[in-house]
Amino acid sequence: MAQDEAVAPPTGRRELNPTLMVRRVGDGVDVLCLSGILDTEGATALGGDLADRLRTTRSDRHLILDLTGLRLVSAAGIQVLDVHMRHLSHSPVPVIVAAPHARDIFTIAPAHGLHLCATLDAALATLPGTEVPSPGDTTGTPEQRTRTPEDGPDDVNGPRADPRTSAVIGMAQGIIVERYASADVHRAFDLLCQASRHHNVPLRILASALVTAPRPATREGEWFPGRLHAPPPAPQLLDCPDQGAYDRHQVLRVVVREAVAVADAHGAEVHLVDLALRNSLVLESHAGLDAAYRDHVAQVEGPPAPCARARLLGQPVLVADVMTDPDLAATQEGRAASVTGSRALYAVPALSEGGECVGAITVHHARPGPWLTPVQSAALRTLADDLARWRSWYRRTVVLDALEYVHAHA
């Protein structure tokens, strides 16, 4: 049975406080997920809890330190961690650091008790006697253990995304504890789950919204006073009834289904921007794509992935052949796409009324070269417009209702 613990040391910076979330992977590994700000002050505040955790860990359990949820990590913060980890230099603790700039910090301030890894898979591979959990192993991935009953399979995007998702949920717990003077992080988690079930909003989406939303003006009254509840937008192509618009999973599944049908594609994926995950594109729904490929595109922070190119340019992007594309062919994403049977990719950005890219639809074709007709390309752009309008309405209506539930019951 997986167990969660969280500690949010008080530093006086509220949402920026460093948070320690402990996840158990399988029977023999504890993943210590850090989120927030890890500068000198934050690392010092967290150091005591980390030292206690290291002292009390059983000899038959392994440790992994996950830093992917940190908004900021400084050389001074790494040095503080090194003080607590140095005695482990004979058997360094794997530390997951995915962002290139964060890895550079370890070059500036090396920590002898830590061994850098890019993914959870890589970290687990360094531990003797442990196995990498498969994407469907519900005992081995944090996101699967923190999903609400309403969460669908599209939320599980592989071990690469799980620690980051868990960190966002941990940050949301810490905010509730600090903001509403709650002494129990488990009650904070229960409240998030209640709001998630009551409004049928996936736990990850609710936690992300809570982390990025402006602080309530007061603890009494409404969080977002005076807002109006508009009906769902009328779609041009998206075949989804009004009541279905309140079901996030249903809408995203319909988008994928329509994209495959419109583009005569063998697979499709939908990414949406998540501000709490470093403003990156997060895989939300998919069809016809294997687990290995989904793991590589679970969270996309920038090119050469076609969805990121389309977001950057604000216009559709065609990759005529993933095996010869100068930017994509040598990447893990490109190799995984070819293994899954994809040779050509076409990504369309989902643009808000103000021209901001809020997501992307990518379709896959088994043969290289352009294959879409002008009519099909136009239909995909229309579908992307429908997705952008729905997402804007959903965030303003359903997600804010769930946040109001948290505010009212905390």
Side-chain angles (χ1 to χ4, degrees):
M1 184 70 179
Q3 297 181 3
D4 303 338
E5 304 171 43
V7 178
T11 67
R13 293 174 299 171
R14 299 182 175 92
E15 289 88 344
L16 301 183
N17 288 341
T19 301
L20 171 63
M21 174 68 68
V22 182
R23 298 291 187 193
R24 293 194 170 182
V25 179
D27 296 326
V29 180
D30 288 341
V31 180
L32 312 184
C33 303
L34 298 185
S35 57
I37 298 279
L38 192 68
D39 54 12
T40 305
E41 179 186 354
T44 301
L46 197 64
D49 297 297
L50 185 59
D52 291 341
R53 170 60 54 182
L54 293 173
R55 281 195 300 268
T56 58
T57 298
R58 300 200 318 263
S59 59
D60 60 338
R61 296 195 65 81
H62 298 288
L63 288 177
I64 293 177
L65 187 61
D66 178 22
L67 304 186
T68 55
L70 291 175
R71 298 187 186 183
L72 173 68
V73 55
S74 69
I78 295 302
Q79 289 175 341
V80 172
L81 285 179
D82 185 37
V83 170
H84 295 283
M85 296 288 193
R86 192 172 299 164
H87 68 286
L88 300 172
S89 57
H90 65 285
S91 180
V93 173
V95 55
I96 305 172
V97 183
H101 70 275
R103 297 177 70 87
D104 290 342
I105 294 295
F106 280 86
T107 303
I108 299 171
H112 301 291
L114 299 175
H115 173 69
L116 265 62
C117 301
T119 66
L120 178 61
D121 287 358
L124 289 169
T126 66
L127 302 177
T130 60
E131 297 181 358
V132 177
S134 66
D137 181 4
T138 57
T139 66
T141 56
E143 168 64 2
Q144 288 169 322
R145 292 195 301 275
T146 54
R147 288 162 60 215
T148 61
E150 291 79 8
D151 287 348
D154 291 335
D155 278 322
V156 183
N157 295 322
R160 194 180 307 274
D162 291 333
R164 305 179 189 190
T165 297
S166 301
V168 173
I169 295 173
M171 291 173 64
Q173 289 176 261
I175 290 173
I176 293 174
V177 168
E178 181 277 332
R179 183 174 293 168
Y180 301 102
S182 172
D184 191 338
V185 293
H186 298 291
R187 291 184 182 178
F189 181 75
D190 289 342
L191 177 59
L192 287 172
C193 291
Q194 291 168 14
S196 171
R197 288 190 293 268
H198 192 269
H199 291 280
N200 196 21
V201 176
L203 185 59
R204 175 179 65 82
I205 303 303
L206 177 58
S208 176
L210 194 148
V211 168
T212 57
R215 188 182 183 90
T218 65
R219 288 176 57 178
E220 295 77 25
E222 294 184 334
W223 189 342
F224 307 96
R227 67 188 180 97
L228 300 176
H229 281 71
Q236 301 180 62
L237 186 62
L238 190 60
D239 184 17
C240 190
D242 282 356
Q243 286 304 310
Y246 290 85
D247 187 333
R248 187 175 186 275
H249 296 296
Q250 179 178 337
V251 171
L252 294 173
R253 282 194 294 267
V254 171
V255 171
V256 167
R257 183 188 67 203
E258 294 288 349
V260 170
V262 163
D264 189 23
H266 83 270
E269 59 193 272
V270 172
H271 286 81
L272 294 177
V273 172
D274 192 324
L275 297 179
L277 292 176
R278 294 193 293 274
N279 200 31
S280 55
L281 289 161
V282 176
L283 180 63
E284 303 287 0
S285 190
H286 55 83
L289 308 175
D290 65 21
Y293 174 78
R294 299 199 307 268
D295 189 28
H296 285 296
V297 298
Q299 183 175 335
V300 178
E301 298 185 6
C307 58
R309 294 192 213 176
R311 179 189 183 186
L312 183 64
L313 298 173
Q315 61 187 27
V317 168
L318 169 68
V319 175
D321 190 345
V322 298
M323 298 182 69
T324 60
D325 183 83
D327 297 319
L328 196 60
T331 66
Q332 292 179 324
E333 293 92 334
R335 288 190 290 267
S338 62
V339 169
T340 202
S342 302
R343 289 294 301 273
L345 305 177
Y346 188 80
V348 183
L351 303 176
S352 68
E353 293 182 356
E356 177 188 7
C357 181
V358 298
I361 301 172
T362 305
V363 290
H364 296 235
H365 201 257
R367 294 188 299 275
W371 82 95
L372 294 170
T373 67
V375 172
Q376 289 174 316
S377 298
L380 281 176
R381 288 195 293 271
T382 299
L383 186 61
D385 289 342
D386 284 346
L387 174 64
R389 283 193 298 272
W390 168 83
R391 178 185 182 271
S392 177
W393 168 83
Y394 183 83
R395 287 171 62 86
R396 294 194 315 266
T397 307
V398 183
V399 174
L400 293 191
D401 283 346
L403 289 180
E404 288 286 13
Y405 183 99
V406 172
H407 187 59
H409 292 78

